[in-house]
Amino acid sequence: QVQLVESGGGLVQAGGSLRLSCAASGSRFSVSTMGWYRQAPGNRRDLVASITSGGSSNYADSVKGRFTISRDNAKNTVYLQMNSLKPEDTAVYYCNLNANILLRKYDYWGQGTQVTVSS
């Protein structure tokens, strides 16, 4: 069973930085697309950033230029570096693993980590 464990969330003032980490168990990490999603009260869970197994990344327009996603396959870990944080970044951030291997689909979620940005 794949388990994703997020860490690094917390309270930070506007303009500050946080680095989120997501450690994955199992054998599928290196061939998976990893993503960070977030959900604020009253909102849906939306994609923040993703990174493919080959290292190609994609970002939501709202975080471009401020957030950076990266991965370390040797450590089965994906990171989200968040700079110039704004109050509207406040949300629960979720790590996601998605893969299609030998015609089988895999989709796993972490339990989330709270990020709160004060004004």
Side-chain angles (χ1 to χ4, degrees):
Q1 181 180 359
V2 172
Q3 291 184 322
L4 305 175
V5 181
E6 301 101 333
S7 62
L11 175 65
V12 65
Q13 294 183 358
S17 298
L18 286 173
R19 189 193 193 203
L20 305 183
S21 299
C22 173
S25 65
S27 61
R28 300 178 181 88
F29 181 87
S30 64
V31 295
S32 301
T33 293
M34 301 297 299
W36 286 98
Y37 292 71
R38 68 186 181 188
Q39 186 169 23
N43 288 53
R44 64 187 180 186
R45 187 176 299 184
D46 291 328
L47 177 69
V48 176
S50 65
I51 184 167
T52 68
S53 60
S56 297
S57 59
N58 186 57
Y59 299 90
D61 288 342
S62 59
V63 307
K64 286 182 179 178
R66 300 188 297 120
F67 292 9
T68 303
I69 189 170
S70 61
R71 67 191 297 160
D72 186 337
N73 289 343
K75 297 180 179 179
N76 278 14
T77 301
V78 64
Y79 306 93
L80 185 68
Q81 179 67 46
M82 304 185 294
N83 299 325
S84 302
L85 283 162
K86 304 175 181 179
E88 51 262 44
D89 295 319
T90 295
V92 177
Y93 284 70
Y94 297 90
C95 179
N96 172 259
L97 181 153
N98 185 264
N100 294 288
I101 306 172
L102 298 177
L103 303 181
R104 302 187 70 177
K105 297 181 179 179
Y106 302 87
D107 194 54
Y108 298 96
W109 293 90
Q111 292 187 336
T113 184
Q114 177 70 47
V115 171
T116 302
V117 184
S118 62
S119 60

